[in-house]
Amino acid sequence: MKFIWLSVLWLLLFGVICNGLSANVSSRPSVVTLGAIFSFDSPIGKVAKIAIEEAVKDVNANSTVLKGTKLVVNMHDSNCSGFVGMLGAMQFMETDAVAIIGPQSSVVAHTLSFVTNELQVPLLSYAATDPTLSSLQFPYFVRTTQSDLYQMKAIADIVYHYGWKKIVVLYLDDDYGRNGMSALDDALVARHCKISYKVGIPPKASNRDDIMDILVKVKDVESRIIVLHTYPTIGFMVFSVAKYLGMTGNGCVWIATDWLTSVADSSADSPLEEMDDLQGALVLRQHTANSERKRAFSKKFVKMTGGTLGLNSYGFYAYDTVWLVAHAIDAFFSKGGIVSFSNYSKLQAVEGSNLHLEAMSIFDGGPLLLKNILQSDFIGLTGAVKFDSDRSLINPAYDIMNVVGTGFHRIGYWSNYSGLSTVLPEELYTMPPNLSNANQVLKPVVWPGDTVDIPRGWSFPENGNFLRIGVPNRASFREFVSHVKGTDDFKGFCIDVFTAAENLLGYSFHYRFIPFGDGHKNPSYNEIVQKITTGELDGVVGDIAIVTNRTKEVDFTQPFAASGLVVVAPFKQINTGAWAFLRPFSPQMWGVTAIFFIVVGMVVWILEHRINDEFRGPPKRQLITVVWFSLSTMFFAHRENTMSTLGRFVLLIWLFVVLIINSSYTASLTSILTVQQLYSPIKGIESLKESHEPIGYQEGSFSEHYLTGEIGIAKSRLIPLGSPEEYATALLKGPKNGGVAAVVDERLYVELFLASQCKFRIVGQEFTRSGWGFAFPRDSPFAIDFSTAILKLSEDGDLQRIHDKWLTVSTCSQDNTEIDSDQLHLKSFWGLFLICGVVCFVALVIYFLRVVQKYRGASSGEPDSEGQSGSHSKRIHTLLSIIDEKTDPSGRHKRRKLESLSNDNLEKDMETDARTPKKLQTPVS
């Protein structure tokens, strides 16, 4: 019976399985229709048409993919027109197409995406690279090739790798060109580079005159790095006109996006006729992994076309797109999907029109098919076909090609994984990612002009204009820069540095010096620098200090002279005098030292008073003892011995402090008595700030702004001075006679002033750190090139030779050229005093805790006459008596008491023996 029931159960289970299988098989239609929209006559379209047809044959020949369902692809020629492409898509909607392959144009893709979104039909493009075709706006658009977002990142990395800062972009003025250029701009900003000039080319530009007008404007731009992002027809025309204008020679760099390689790869039978116009250009090509299957398909393609048509990367992506859809449809059917369509309710209002729009319907299985497409994971001709979280193909990479002769020379690769490299991306994927600058390498390039030297990336605009270089027309300190009367020339230290640096640039340029100022007074340097920002000047050469507010407006070169603000004041020589012994320490130092002598003496007295007889006695004697003990520690001659542990510890720390103070005092006093001393009431910028006396500064320099804005000195105290003679006169008069207490100026001016004025000295330290440099507009390549030249001058010693030529050495004594305070201040010793004070405080706390403990024991065991605790006055009296009580913690007091008691008993016994009469002893007879 049991066997019968089991047999019935197996039969039922087998029937259910067979019904399920038959239902699954029956849900698969015999034919599945796809649509394909692209331009048949374009270089990409010609290759894609053959690739798609071969992919369909291979899919239908493979019984493991669609399992009996035949794949049919209906193709429509869009002719690169959005309108024609939209009509073709609507026709596919009437034939129950479950997906559309294409278009190859980003402009057409934008139009078709609106249609496919409404009808829920996946649109898979193997060639639309516009980065703005995002999944947020067009959820049914699936890009089966690489986005231009990565191509532009590759270009930005190339620009950064060669050290270029600014580029020119020529782009097609449509969605494809504009959005690609925008992605490039973002990528360059991330690399601290920028687009200095960009111009859109009309999509319908078909004559050379239009291109000529555009390139003439580009020729007047400083940058010589030109990125060309357009269609092949216009791109080749641009190269032809550029060569005619001489823009493809030495110093120029052309970078073309992958449109060039797609055309060149499609013309496998013969080199492009335009290759002669492209020499030295860098070109990108979408990278596809090498495999046996890819090589086999390439050979098959050559046989089919007879070698008249080459296979570009878009052909590989088109082939893989068909397989991608086939795998997704197979998964769609395996999950129970049914090809069914429903009416589009929004088109009911147009029923009866000649357009027959009511025939369009929504694909009910669109969401499931789209999900299966995005979950695809297989190996195709291009490599791994898999989408990341952003719905982009994984592992985007590009080949970087260099046009040499009649072909392309690969100089490296770019991948989003590891950047620029000469190693295949497939090998890098097996290693940890490394985007460090040291790891970014490319092979040598043959640049335009048949040179291997990396172009500097910019050139002077060929408009015949001279660069306008502003030069301050000084009235004083003309050794640095001065105008040669009757000519347009300038001379001086700064001019010689500029000329020497110019000779090291490796290129020449036309410039004209523009004087700024009337020559009767020094001009405002802030104003001449601001003229660069307004475009009136192309640079400024002279003694221009590099300060913060100026660096916000212009770029400076490497400093060619170090400088900073210093204080100059009159001085006088001082003799040692009768009170020279007080000079080593400042008044604050003397006061704090004296206080600590007294404090330490009192602390030691407190700690030793109860146990040391040398610290006891009448109040007068104790006071003298404290003072004597404190002062004698300076000479280690105190006669009082400390007995307590706390007292000895405090004394040990204090003797260490005294040792440091004595050594410092001795060294400072020796210096004062043996070295000639200069004295000035002004000690530096701080003492000058605290006073209310007038201060002189050089007219036109930045020191006025610094003293008022940064230091906080009132502007009413500042007096402008125009020449070294005015410096000397104002300083000699002094503040009481209408002069100044000190002059604040840059060190280089002051050193030149002191070369002939021996009555003044620099007081204090230099309180700003800056230098002199040449100023140029922001992001100007001159700033970098001149900085390199200035460093070379410094390394070769030429900069010092120019300095020695113009700036004489002081004839005054070089000893003590800077006056600084020779006193020792409290800030140098506060750490020692702090340690000593803490030790004294801790010792007193421990001492008083012991006293309080003893006081509690004494007060608890001594009741008053009434049997209660003592009164308040009694407790105070007890505490004071304990503090003043003489104790002997060593036990010697007890031993002395016992010895005295023993001696007293012995004396009493002797006295008793003396009073007792002695018995006579009689001899025995």
Side-chain angles (χ1 to χ4, degrees):
M1 189 69 178
K2 182 177 181 181
F3 176 77
I4 296 174
W5 279 107
L6 288 174
S7 301
V8 172
L9 182 61
W10 275 108
L11 289 173
L12 291 174
L13 181 61
F14 180 75
V16 171
I17 293 174
C18 292
N19 289 335
L21 290 175
S22 62
N24 186 33
V25 173
S26 63
S27 64
R28 289 177 177 263
S30 59
V31 176
V32 176
T33 303
L34 302 179
I37 301 176
F38 54 91
S39 179
F40 292 171
D41 294 332
S42 65
I44 295 176
K46 291 178 182 179
V47 176
K49 186 176 184 297
I50 299 175
I52 292 174
E53 291 173 347
E54 288 303 310
V56 172
K57 293 178 182 179
D58 293 342
V59 168
N60 290 330
N62 193 325
S63 59
T64 63
V65 182
L66 291 178
K67 301 178 178 66
T69 300
K70 182 180 180 181
L71 185 66
V72 176
V73 177
N74 296 324
M75 299 185 184
H76 178 79
D77 188 1
S78 66
N79 200 22
C80 292
S81 170
F83 177 73
V84 176
M86 183 176 63
L87 293 180
M90 291 180 178
Q91 292 177 5
F92 290 142
M93 298 302 103
E94 298 176 4
T95 59
D96 295 340
V98 297
I100 300 176
I101 297 175
Q104 69 187 50
S105 169
S106 297
V107 177
V108 179
H110 274 278
T111 304
L112 295 189
S113 294
F114 289 104
V115 178
T116 55
N117 281 355
E118 292 292 330
L119 302 180
Q120 299 182 176
V121 177
L123 179 65
L124 297 92
S125 177
Y126 58 86
T129 57
D130 182 358
T132 62
L133 289 167
S134 64
S135 58
L136 296 178
Q137 184 180 8
F138 306 115
Y140 280 87
F141 175 81
V142 180
R143 194 196 319 273
T144 59
T145 186
Q146 303 298 342
S147 169
D148 277 342
L149 177 67
Y150 300 109
Q151 181 170 209
M152 298 309 169
K153 287 181 64 177
I155 293 176
D157 284 354
I158 292 172
V159 171
Y160 179 79
H161 174 72
Y162 289 113
W164 303 319
K165 293 299 181 181
K166 295 188 290 187
I167 69 171
V168 175
V169 178
L170 303 179
Y171 63 94
L172 199 65
D173 195 10
D174 60 4
D175 291 338
Y176 161 74
R178 285 191 300 268
N179 296 329
M181 185 273 300
S182 179
L184 176 59
D185 193 16
D186 294 339
L188 288 170
V189 170
R191 283 299 197 175
H192 304 288
C193 306
K194 71 175 186 178
I195 299 175
S196 62
Y197 185 75
K198 55 188 175 183
V199 56
I201 302 175
K204 300 299 182 180
S206 58
N207 58 74
R208 294 173 60 90
D209 293 339
D210 296 337
I211 304 300
M212 185 80 70
D213 294 339
I214 293 173
L215 291 184
V216 166
K217 296 178 181 178
V218 172
K219 196 174 182 180
D220 290 337
V221 178
E222 186 179 81
S223 176
R224 285 295 177 263
I225 311 299
I226 304 174
V227 175
L228 186 57
H229 183 54
T230 180
Y231 293 152
T233 305
I234 297 178
F236 288 125
M237 191 184 302
V238 169
F239 274 112
S240 176
V241 175
K243 184 179 181 180
Y244 174 78
L245 294 176
M247 297 176 62
T248 58
N250 194 3
C252 297
V253 176
W254 286 84
I255 303 176
T257 51
D258 60 354
W259 62 267
L260 180 53
T261 51
S262 65
V263 176
D265 293 341
S266 301
S267 304
D269 55 337
S270 62
L272 293 174
E273 297 178 358
E274 297 86 356
M275 291 297 285
D276 190 49
D277 301 334
L278 310 175
Q279 293 301 304
L282 297 182
V283 189
L284 272 67
R285 172 197 285 156
Q286 292 191 3
H287 177 77
T288 55
N290 290 323
S291 64
E292 186 63 32
R293 187 181 174 192
K294 175 184 174 182
R295 288 190 290 269
F297 182 78
S298 299
K299 293 179 181 179
K300 181 180 178 181
F301 188 90
V302 172
K303 291 180 180 179
M304 288 186 298
T305 60
T308 59
L309 186 64
L311 183 59
N312 56 43
S313 59
Y314 290 103
F316 293 120
Y317 281 110
Y319 182 90
D320 283 350
T321 301
V322 176
W323 277 90
L324 173 65
V325 178
H327 283 294
I329 293 175
D330 182 60
F332 172 79
F333 289 144
S334 298
K335 295 178 181 179
I338 300 175
V339 177
S340 63
F341 296 85
S342 58
N343 293 330
Y344 187 44
S345 59
K346 295 182 180 180
L347 293 178
Q348 293 178 358
V350 297
E351 290 183 359
S353 67
N354 294 329
L355 295 176
H356 301 289
L357 296 179
E358 69 279 359
M360 300 178 62
S361 57
I362 298 175
F363 178 32
D364 298 325
L368 179 59
L369 179 58
L370 176 64
K371 181 179 179 182
N372 292 329
I373 289 173
L374 297 177
Q375 292 178 347
S376 298
D377 186 3
F378 67 95
I379 303 299
L381 297 183
T382 59
V385 180
K386 184 179 180 181
F387 296 94
D388 58 19
S389 58
D390 295 331
R391 297 175 57 167
S392 299
L393 287 177
I394 62 172
N395 301 331
Y398 287 86
D399 300 340
I400 304 175
M401 317 299 291
N402 181 208
V403 180
V404 180
T406 59
F408 294 98
H409 171 63
R410 184 184 289 107
I411 63 171
Y413 307 91
W414 178 91
S415 68
N416 197 44
Y417 187 77
S418 293
L420 302 175
S421 175
T422 56
V423 181
L424 279 169
E426 290 77 28
E427 298 181 19
L428 296 175
Y429 296 149
T430 62
M431 309 175 188
N434 188 350
L435 292 171
S436 63
N437 291 334
N439 198 52
Q440 308 299 297
V441 292
L442 291 173
K443 294 179 181 178
V445 178
V446 179
W447 301 101
D450 197 23
T451 177
V452 294
D453 296 330
I454 300 175
R456 65 174 182 265
W458 63 275
S459 179
F460 298 101
E462 298 184 8
N463 51 17
N465 293 334
F466 286 82
L467 292 179
R468 297 157 299 175
I469 305 298
V471 182
N473 190 8
R474 295 189 57 87
S476 61
F477 295 109
R478 296 173 62 85
E479 293 84 352
F480 295 107
V481 57
S482 63
H483 186 209
V484 180
K485 294 183 178 181
T487 67
D488 294 332
D489 296 333
F490 282 80
K491 64 179 181 179
F493 168 68
C494 300
I495 302 301
D496 279 5
V497 172
F498 176 78
T499 304
E502 177 197 354
N503 294 332
L504 295 177
L505 293 182
Y507 56 87
S508 60
F509 61 97
H510 303 288
Y511 63 89
R512 179 181 292 116
F513 284 142
I514 307 297
F516 182 79
D518 55 11
H520 299 293
K521 66 177 182 178
N522 294 332
S524 172
Y525 279 45
N526 285 335
E527 292 181 7
I528 189 174
V529 170
Q530 288 175 357
K531 287 187 176 295
I532 297 179
T533 62
T534 59
E536 298 179 53
L537 295 176
D538 299 312
V540 174
V541 171
D543 48 339
I544 312 297
I546 304 174
V547 293
T548 304
N549 63 318
R550 295 173 185 171
T551 57
K552 295 178 180 179
E553 299 176 344
V554 298
D555 281 349
F556 282 92
T557 64
Q558 173 79 13
F560 60 85
S563 185
L565 292 179
V566 294
V567 178
V568 181
F571 73 96
K572 64 179 180 179
Q573 296 182 356
I574 56 176
N575 298 322
T576 54
W579 301 99
F581 67 90
L582 295 176
R583 290 183 55 201
F585 287 163
S586 65
Q588 296 86 351
M589 182 64 182
W590 279 117
V592 173
T593 303
I595 292 173
F596 262 82
F597 269 107
I598 302 301
V599 169
V600 172
M602 294 179 64
V603 171
V604 173
W605 177 83
I606 292 174
L607 298 176
E608 297 288 325
H609 178 68
R610 298 179 68 246
I611 62 175
N612 195 335
D613 291 336
E614 296 177 351
F615 289 87
R616 299 183 64 82
K620 181 178 179 181
R621 178 188 172 189
Q622 296 182 44
L623 179 61
I624 294 174
T625 300
V626 169
V627 175
W628 164 253
F629 180 83
S630 300
L631 297 178
S632 62
T633 55
M634 179 179 292
F635 313 102
F636 308 103
H638 53 278
R639 65 183 183 182
E640 294 81 8
N641 295 320
T642 54
M643 300 178 62
S644 67
T645 303
L646 293 176
R648 290 173 177 175
F649 184 66
V650 170
L651 183 60
L652 177 65
I653 299 300
W654 174 243
L655 289 177
F656 175 74
V657 175
V658 170
L659 174 65
I660 301 300
I661 293 176
N662 278 340
S663 302
S664 302
Y665 177 85
T666 302
S668 180
L669 182 61
T670 302
S671 175
I672 291 173
L673 296 177
T674 57
V675 179
Q676 180 183 359
Q677 297 295 311
L678 304 179
Y679 170 76
S680 172
I682 304 298
K683 302 302 180 183
I685 188 62
E686 291 299 328
S687 63
L688 195 61
K689 176 183 176 181
E690 294 172 358
S691 69
H692 298 284
E693 297 176 338
I695 304 170
Y697 70 93
Q698 183 181 168
E699 185 179 15
S701 72
F702 77 98
S703 55
E704 177 188 11
H705 172 75
Y706 187 86
L707 291 174
T708 56
E710 302 295 333
I711 303 298
I713 296 177
K715 191 173 183 179
S716 58
R717 293 178 56 192
L718 302 181
I719 297 178
L721 303 173
S723 65
E725 293 75 16
E726 293 184 21
Y727 285 13
T729 302
L731 288 172
L732 291 175
K733 285 184 177 180
K736 295 182 180 179
N737 299 318
V740 296
V743 171
V744 175
D745 203 354
E746 295 180 68
R747 175 177 286 274
L748 288 174
Y749 299 121
V750 170
E751 289 177 349
L752 192 59
F753 167 69
L754 295 179
S756 58
Q757 297 289 339
C758 300
K759 298 179 181 180
F760 314 103
R761 287 292 185 271
I762 297 174
V763 296
Q765 300 296 323
E766 186 174 321
F767 56 93
T768 64
R769 299 288 181 183
S770 62
W772 290 354
F774 305 136
F776 294 99
R778 298 302 296 267
D779 300 323
S780 171
F782 276 119
I784 299 176
D785 291 351
F786 268 95
S787 294
T788 305
I790 290 171
L791 289 175
K792 187 71 167 58
L793 289 175
S794 178
E795 294 171 357
D796 295 343
D798 294 335
L799 199 59
Q800 184 62 42
R801 284 189 284 272
I802 298 174
H803 178 277
D804 296 340
K805 171 186 175 182
W806 287 98
L807 307 180
T808 57
V809 181
S810 174
T811 57
C812 304
S813 173
Q814 296 300 307
D815 296 333
N816 298 316
T817 55
E818 293 188 11
I819 301 176
D820 199 359
S821 177
D822 52 8
Q823 289 184 327
L824 298 176
H825 296 273
L826 179 61
K827 62 182 180 180
S828 302
F829 299 91
W830 72 269
L832 286 173
F833 287 123
L834 177 63
I835 294 173
C836 184
V838 170
V839 170
C840 292
F841 177 77
V842 172
L844 289 176
V845 170
I846 296 174
Y847 172 79
F848 280 112
L849 287 176
R850 291 178 179 177
V851 171
V852 170
Q853 183 180 8
K854 189 171 183 179
Y855 162 75
R856 289 179 177 176
S859 60
S860 61
E862 296 181 1
D864 61 2
S865 59
E866 298 179 358
Q868 299 177 351
S869 299
S871 62
H872 180 68
S873 59
K874 179 71 175 179
R875 290 197 296 270
I876 295 177
H877 182 269
T878 302
L879 178 61
L880 293 177
S881 63
I882 291 175
I883 293 175
D884 192 55
E885 179 184 2
K886 178 69 172 67
T887 61
D888 188 3
S890 64
R892 288 178 294 178
H893 176 70
K894 294 181 179 181
R895 289 196 298 270
R896 290 175 182 175
K897 187 174 182 179
L898 291 175
E899 291 176 357
S900 62
L901 289 174
S902 299
N903 293 333
D904 292 342
N905 293 334
L906 181 60
E907 291 175 357
K908 290 180 181 181
D909 293 341
M910 293 178 64
E911 290 178 359
T912 303
D913 293 341
R915 289 195 300 269
T916 304
K918 297 181 179 178
K919 294 181 180 181
L920 298 174
Q921 298 180 355
T922 56
V924 179
S925 58

